[in-house]
Structures are given as structure tokens and as C-alpha cells.
Amino acid sequence: MDVTNFSSQPHWRHCYRNICTDNFVERKHSFPSPFTTSFKTHSRTKKITMSSEVVFNLEYLTRLEESARTLESTPQQRSEMMFKAQREVDAYLEQLSLDHPTGWVIPPKETQGQDKLVQPGQYQVQSGPNQVQSGPDRVQSGPYQAQSGPDQVQSGPDWVQSAPDQAQSGPDRVQSGRGPHETEPLPIQENGVSIDEVLRDFSRIGNEMEREGHPGHMAYVPGNSTAPAAIGDFLAASFNPYSLNVASCRRAVKMQQMIVQWVGRLFGYPSACAGNLTSGGTVATMVAMTTARDHKVPRSKDYSRSVLYLSELTHDGVAKCLSTLGMREAVVRKVPVDDKYRMDVNILRKFIENDVQNNLLPFLVVATTGTTDVGSVDPVPAIRAVATQYNMWLHVDACYGGFFVLCNSAKHLFEGVETADSIAVDPHKGLYAPFGTGLVLVRNGTLLRNSNTRQHGNYMQDQLTNPEDWNPEDLTFEQSAHFRAPRVLLPLQLYGVATFRDALQEKLELAKYLYLRLKGQAHIQVVEPVLSTVLFRIPGVSDNTNRALLREITTDGRFFITTTTVKGVLYLRVIIFCYRTHRQDVDVFINKVKDAVVKMELPEVEFCHAG
């Protein structure tokens, strides 16, 4: 008998379930005669002679089973782990507003006030008795209420927080005064440790990270996450469906397709569009660019004369994709921006005309609706006209600004996006999903499918398939991807779209508010925002002076902002994007700017502003 076929025999599986226990019972009568004559039992050693050559050690198998069953947690064990993990999460969120956005404790010397700083005597912002409100997932302090003392902030048992030996270094990364070996994660060991030790070790990450959910984190494009999104990830990991194929889990596929089609409708795409949830905006862009490459440049010998057109403010992740796509030799043209920081379409046209005359192949132009440096929006309709004239693919990078399309006041900024061949947008930005959540849309879904259709291996030949099913695995290069839909869908279902619209509209209004307040401030030049990013600087001085202003604003750790350089000019850059950031936080920031300018003792001049 061929022993390699045992696992495929129903009778063998029945026997295996019985012999893999300490109370082994030989059941010769349950087998057809060929099996019966091939087995002998050694009850003392718990071994089975499968044939004259093969002996199976059941005692060893039983020991392995006992160890492996450790992975099969009980309801009580799961409840205990979840309770303790939630305690750490609550502790972190309760003190989020108390600490610097890069991790250290704020000196207890100020609170929110519109025109001048207030000395409150404590530095917890309260809205009702013992309540800290933190956006859509408001955290109410309960038995683990945050407490401030001279040396530490405690937010629940086992929470380790900043102490006097922790260095405070302004906008730079925090370097703890403790030895570097103490900041190493708990090592991977042969034997496990308790959940308390694991969580105690993990919670230290709260002291060694940029806290992008902090209301004072106004740098880069800060990521946020809500409680329902975290629950969505927990559910996705617990049920753990293979969510990229209808045959494996139709409902999981439908959840993802629901999100994709909803986002498509937001931008005015037809129902024939297709897309996928990805690990982020760069991967979303790469999937779109792959489709563009396959459709516009089908022969690899033409890659070296293919041309990609970007603006000088296009996100760096776009050009990075060319290497991954095997198009490293392609030509990249960076088009200057106009005085509104938008791609200059006249220069774009001249670039293309010149490239065509030189026997190059313009194949892709990328427009941005929400540049990361400024928040500016490229003129999509005009770029579409140029792309159509030269038979080019138009991709829209809406990763930062895309979900502002929900806001009535910003809808006009997205005119023409519905004509783009593809769009990349990040739910981990505008929908406050956890990091690792991008979304790609292709207007003609068939083109996306043609570039990514999976050819299954022989081991999947028995899987029931329907050619009419649009499986996510046929719309991306990813396979065995995380089930991302719940982290996006649960918050939308629980809070409703209106909540997210209001949160995003609030950020637009706060950016205008900051602009208007700084506009009348002496020594400050400020650029009028398009979305939620505000640039300002002291004009007529050196870049080092403006960097000194940055250090003065951020030195006590209440806010985290950075600089950027646009058209050769250095600006201090503020992005208001965290859902926990509200007017009182902006008021404190404005006062910090005013105080910083006063401390710099600049000569008296009339105020000036740009934009």
C-alpha cells in the first residue's frame, strides 16, 4: 500500500483521530481488508507498523499535539488577553492629549485659550466630569484615569511613562536617558512568557513613537485610527478569511467591492470601474501604473523611451514605482508649478511636444488633488485634454486630499477627476483607517483585470470558479493579503458618512481659521490654504532664522511641525488633519507663533501675507 496516500483516505482520517490520543484503541474492524492486513499495533510503545519498513511513533506525535494545542485559546483566555490589551490601549489614548506628539510629557504650564495662554494648574483638558474627548472614538477615563505627578503620568496599571531621565529635544527625535538595551523589544525565545509581560513590553512603544493621533501632531500627513477600525482588524484577523476569491469567501469579497464602488461613485466613476484595497498609496499607484504600462507600452523594448510626467510637487512614491515596474530606464519629466502651486499645463504641453519630436513615447501623466507640500490641486480638466490629445494615461494622486470630496465646499476641486483613467486614494488618511490602507480605482475595470488575472496552480484545480466573478486577486498583484475591508467598513457603518464629512470639513475650516489669524500677525507671511495645509514664514530673513522660529514654536513639545521648500522658498508647514485637533488646539498654536516671534526680537514692520 502506498503510505503517501493515507491522508486522502476517509478511513485513514478516522483512524488517525483515534490513534493520536493517549487512550489508543485499535479499530481493525473499521478498515477494509487492505488496511487491516497492513497495520500492527505495539501498545506498550504506542507505535504503529504501517508496513514492514515504516514505524509511526504515536507518543512523539501526542507530545507535539499537546504543545500545538497551546495555540487553541479558550474563550476565557481570549477574554483575559483582550481585557488586558484594551487596558493598555485605554491608557495610551487617555494620555494622548497630555503628552508631546513625539512622546514626552508636556510641561504643566498652558492650556487652550484664544488670545493668551492660561495657567490651569493641571494639564488635562476636560469636557464634563473626568472625560477626555478625542474625536469620533471619545475616550472616557474610568478606573484608569490619567494622573500627573512630578515624575510620571500614569494611565492604568503597568503603564510606563516619561521620567526625569528622558531627554527632551524639541522637534528632533526623543532619545531616552535609559540604556539602549532597555529599549529593545522582548526577544523571541524558545519558551513563551505571560501576556502581562508581553503587553508591558509592547506598551513601551507609546513612549518611543511619533504619536500621529495627537492633536498637536501637525507634520507630514499624520495617520489616525478609530476604535471601530481597530475592532475591524481584530475581527478580520480572528475570522481570517481568504478575502481575495469569491470561492473562498463571497461575503468578504462583497465587503471589499462595496467599499471600492462607493469610493468610485464619490469621484463620479461609472459602475464598470474596478479596484482594490491595498497596503497604501504607493502600492495603489503601482497597480494603476502597471495597468497604464500594459495598456500604453505593451512592448518592453519601448520602456527606455517612455516618458512619465509629474509636477515638481508630485509625491516621491510615484517615480519610485518605476523601478518596481521594471521601467527604471523610463524618462521622468518634472513639470514646474504656477503661482498657485499647480502643474503648469502650458509647460507640460511643451515638454510633450518636444519629446514627441525626439521620438520618445509619452505614456503617463500624474495629476495631484492635494499635494503633500502645499495641499494644492492640479487643473485636472486641462491635463485630461492634453493626455487625450497625445493618447496618454491620466492618473490622479488623491492620497491625501481625495476624501475631501465628501465636503460640499471642496467638491469643485475635484472637477475632471471622473475622467481620469485611474485614481489612488488613502483611507488611512481621510477615513482615519489604520496605516496600511490604500485604494486603487481604474475607470475601465477590464484593463485592470487584464493586467492582474491570476493563473491558478494545479493545487487549486478543483476550486469552483465562475468567469463572471471579479475576484480581488485578479485586480492586484497581491495574494494572501490581509482582509482590509472591516477596518474601513465598520467605522463607516457605525458612525455614518456624515461624521467623517463633518470631521474633514472641520479641518478645512480650521486651516482657514489659522490662515486668517496669522494673516494679520506682524512679521508673518502666510499662504492661503486650498485644503488643510498652511505654509508660513518670516519674510526677508535667512532660512536659518525661519528654522529658529520652528525650534522656538516646538521647543516645549506641545506641537510637532516641520519645514518644506516650495519653489526654492523655505516655509514652516502646518497640516491640520488629525480628528482630535480642534479650535482650542489651533488657538494654542497661534499663541505659540506669536510668542516665538516676540522672543526673536525682530524689527517692527507692517504685517504681510501671500495668497
Side-chain angles (χ1 to χ4, degrees):
M1 186 180 74
D2 183 3
V3 297
T4 61
N5 291 328
F6 282 168
S7 61
S8 65
Q9 302 295 332
H11 291 292
W12 167 249
R13 290 199 298 268
H14 175 72
C15 176
Y16 184 78
R17 285 194 295 270
N18 286 279
I19 64 177
C20 289
T21 63
D22 288 334
N23 300 320
F24 169 70
V25 177
E26 183 183 8
R27 296 190 175 186
K28 288 184 180 180
H29 63 275
S30 66
F31 292 94
S33 57
F35 287 80
T36 305
T37 57
S38 300
F39 284 87
K40 294 182 181 179
T41 304
H42 305 274
S43 58
R44 180 172 298 177
T45 60
K46 293 187 180 178
K47 294 181 179 179
I48 293 180
T49 302
M50 296 181 179
S51 68
S52 59
E53 295 84 13
V54 181
V55 176
F56 203 85
N57 188 332
L58 292 178
E59 186 174 352
Y60 174 62
L61 181 61
T62 301
R63 290 201 304 270
L64 294 178
E65 178 183 338
E66 290 173 351
S67 179
R69 283 186 179 276
T70 304
L71 302 175
E72 303 174 20
S73 58
T74 66
Q76 181 178 354
Q77 290 171 328
R78 290 193 293 273
S79 296
E80 180 182 357
M81 287 189 288
M82 288 301 299
F83 172 77
K84 292 181 177 180
Q86 184 60 46
R87 187 174 62 187
E88 296 297 333
V89 172
D90 289 344
Y92 171 74
L93 291 178
E94 283 177 1
Q95 74 171 46
L96 193 60
S97 296
L98 306 180
D99 283 4
H100 183 277
T102 55
W104 65 77
V105 177
I106 299 173
K109 65 181 182 181
E110 64 186 49
T111 188
Q112 287 80 355
Q114 182 167 345
D115 290 313
K116 65 179 182 178
L117 303 181
V118 180
Q119 306 293 334
Q122 61 180 12
Y123 50 96
Q124 180 175 359
V125 181
Q126 294 185 347
S127 300
N130 302 326
Q131 187 178 26
V132 178
Q133 297 189 349
S134 304
D137 57 340
R138 295 176 180 176
V139 181
Q140 295 186 354
S141 54
Y144 309 119
Q145 183 177 355
Q147 298 177 348
S148 60
D151 294 336
Q152 62 183 3
V153 172
Q154 296 181 344
S155 297
D158 303 329
W159 181 262
V160 182
Q161 190 41 259
S162 306
D165 65 341
Q166 187 172 8
Q168 298 183 3
S169 52
D172 299 327
R173 295 280 184 150
V174 181
Q175 298 295 329
S176 172
R178 295 169 294 189
H181 65 281
E182 293 186 29
T183 64
E184 290 296 315
L186 189 69
I188 300 172
Q189 305 171 80
E190 187 66 22
N191 297 310
V193 298
S194 70
I195 184 64
D196 298 276
E197 186 173 351
V198 170
L199 291 174
R200 187 161 46 246
D201 176 76
F202 180 85
S203 66
R204 291 173 183 160
I205 199 172
N207 297 330
E208 302 175 19
M209 64 181 281
E210 287 179 7
R211 296 177 172 176
E212 304 212 14
H214 189 288
H217 195 298
M218 299 176 177
Y220 316 130
V221 182
N224 296 260
S225 182
T226 63
I231 293 171
D233 265 359
F234 167 71
L235 293 172
S238 298
F239 282 79
N240 199 34
Y242 181 73
S243 58
L244 301 185
N245 191 297
V246 168
S248 298
C249 187
R250 179 176 293 273
R251 190 170 188 83
V253 172
K254 282 188 173 183
M255 290 172 69
Q256 178 158 301
Q257 290 175 338
M258 179 190 300
I259 296 168
V260 169
Q261 290 295 319
W262 174 71
V263 175
R265 289 193 298 273
L266 288 179
F267 290 108
Y269 262 20
S271 59
C273 73
N276 222 322
L277 290 170
T278 69
S279 63
T282 301
V283 170
T285 300
M286 186 163 62
V287 172
M289 289 176 63
T290 301
T291 309
R293 178 201 64 188
D294 293 348
H295 185 56
K296 298 295 184 180
V297 195
R299 300 182 302 179
S300 59
K301 69 177 185 178
D302 292 326
Y303 289 176
S304 61
R305 67 186 191 94
S306 300
V307 189
L308 165 66
Y309 300 87
L310 317 169
S311 94
E312 59 181 300
L313 296 180
T314 301
H315 193 278
D316 57 87
V318 176
K320 177 182 177 181
C321 291
L322 286 176
S323 295
T324 307
L325 295 177
M327 299 185 72
R328 184 187 295 270
E329 296 178 350
V331 180
V332 178
R333 301 278 187 235
K334 291 193 175 182
V335 182
V337 295
D338 60 20
D339 57 357
K340 298 289 187 181
Y341 306 108
R342 304 170 302 183
M343 180 185 286
D344 191 315
V345 180
N346 291 326
I347 297 179
L348 168 66
R349 187 182 295 276
K350 290 179 181 179
F351 279 178
I352 296 173
E353 291 173 351
N354 185 66
D355 288 336
V356 170
Q357 291 175 3
N358 287 283
N359 197 33
L360 296 180
L361 180 61
F363 87 103
L364 174 62
V365 58
V366 178
T368 304
T369 53
T371 59
T372 47
D373 286 276
V374 186
S376 53
V377 175
D378 289 333
V380 178
I383 296 172
R384 171 75 271 177
V386 174
T388 300
Q389 179 180 352
Y390 291 96
N391 192 29
M392 297 168 62
W393 186 281
L394 170 60
H395 174 71
V396 170
D397 177 355
C399 290
Y400 155 45
F403 284 109
F404 284 111
V405 74
L406 288 169
C407 304
N408 292 330
S409 68
K411 284 186 183 296
H412 68 283
L413 298 173
F414 298 90
E415 180 184 352
V417 172
E418 72 279 359
T419 68
D421 296 294
S422 58
I423 304 170
V425 63
D426 278 346
H428 68 215
K429 293 184 174 74
L431 292 183
Y432 305 125
F435 278 130
T437 318
L439 192 148
V440 60
L441 284 166
V442 175
R443 196 173 193 276
N444 184 343
T446 300
L447 298 179
L448 177 63
R449 194 182 194 188
N450 291 344
S451 288
N452 293 279
T453 298
R454 179 182 180 184
Q455 302 298 325
H456 287 134
N458 293 340
Y459 69 98
M460 299 185 70
Q461 63 190 14
D462 296 329
Q463 186 179 64
L464 298 177
T465 59
N466 184 342
E468 296 183 0
D469 288 334
W470 283 62
N471 294 312
E473 66 182 7
D474 293 329
L475 304 172
T476 179
F477 64 87
E478 287 188 277
Q479 295 176 192
S480 302
H482 176 68
F483 182 29
R484 300 183 179 107
R487 58 164 62 177
V488 178
L489 194 56
L490 264 66
L492 286 170
Q493 291 172 328
L494 182 62
Y495 294 134
V497 176
T499 300
F500 290 90
R501 179 184 297 109
D502 290 345
L504 291 170
Q505 186 67 49
E506 181 196 22
K507 306 316 160 199
L508 294 175
E509 298 301 321
L510 287 175
K512 294 177 187 175
Y513 178 72
L514 174 61
Y515 164 72
L516 292 172
R517 293 287 306 280
L518 292 180
K519 181 179 176 181
Q521 174 66 33
H523 302 288
I524 294 296
Q525 176 188 9
V526 58
V527 178
E528 184 174 3
V530 177
L531 294 175
S532 66
T533 301
V534 180
L535 304 185
F536 68 96
R537 65 191 301 272
I538 302 174
V541 299
S542 68
D543 288 350
N544 286 337
T545 301
N546 277 292
R547 290 191 179 97
L549 176 64
L550 172 72
R551 288 192 295 272
E552 191 64 44
I553 292 170
T554 60
T555 189
D556 66 356
R558 177 63 178 83
F559 295 95
F560 179 41
I561 66 172
T562 58
T563 64
T564 190
T565 301
V566 183
K567 296 177 73 69
V569 179
L570 184 137
Y571 289 93
L572 280 68
R573 174 182 176 275
V574 176
I575 182 169
I576 303 175
F577 207 59
C578 174
Y579 64 74
R580 294 184 177 91
T581 303
H582 306 294
R583 194 185 74 178
Q584 58 265 35
D585 303 296
V586 176
D587 283 333
V588 174
F589 179 79
I590 291 167
N591 284 305
K592 285 198 171 296
V593 174
K594 291 180 179 179
D595 289 350
V597 170
V598 170
K599 288 183 180 179
M600 297 182 73
E601 298 182 346
L602 298 169
E604 289 294 329
V605 295
E606 294 184 4
F607 72 85
C608 61
H609 67 276

